[in-house]
Amino acid sequence: QMQLVESGGGLVQAGGSLTLSCAASGRSVFRSYSMGWFRQAPGKEREFVAGVSWSGETTYYADSVKGRFTISRDNAKNMMFLQMNSLKTEDTAVYYCARRLGGPDLYYDRQQYDSWGQGTQVTVSS
């Protein structure tokens, strides 16, 4: 079992930046798992944003955020991050971090994730 808590959301103007954090705790060993960020806008399905391998060496991004967002992790501190630059109004959503159980490298597949945080709201104004 892994408990995940997101933080760092807020209100920002278009073109601005935010960094989200995800703190992991519990009996599971954080560094043993790949992780991901998802987001859900009102009235829409939860969608994949970014994923990172257990070591942090391999990362994956949704096309909509590629080149603007950067996912990273600090296994020594049981933390994961999402640096978001050049934010757009369409990035407005609740952002969730999640633990990936493994399987084929289909990081965008929500079914591969089990533990989820409560989410943090990101609002980008025009």
Side-chain angles (χ1 to χ4, degrees), residues 21-98:
S21 299
C22 173
S25 62
R27 293 188 172 188
S28 298
V29 179
F30 178 71
R31 64 178 178 270
S32 297
Y33 295 91
S34 53
M35 301 287 293
W37 285 99
F38 286 75
R39 67 186 182 187
Q40 187 166 18
K44 294 189 176 182
E45 293 286 320
R46 190 171 298 189
E47 65 175 3
F48 171 76
V49 175
V52 62
S53 63
W54 66 271
S55 66
E57 291 182 352
T58 305
T59 57
Y60 303 84
Y61 296 94
D63 288 342
S64 60
V65 306
K66 202 170 293 183
R68 300 187 298 122
F69 291 10
T70 302
I71 188 171
S72 62
R73 65 190 297 165
D74 184 339
N75 286 340
K77 297 182 178 179
N78 291 351
M79 297 285 293
M80 180 175 67
F81 307 96
L82 185 68
Q83 173 69 43
M84 305 185 295
N85 297 328
S86 302
L87 283 162
K88 304 176 181 180
T89 55
E90 51 262 46
D91 294 318
T92 295
V94 177
Y95 284 71
Y96 300 89
C97 63

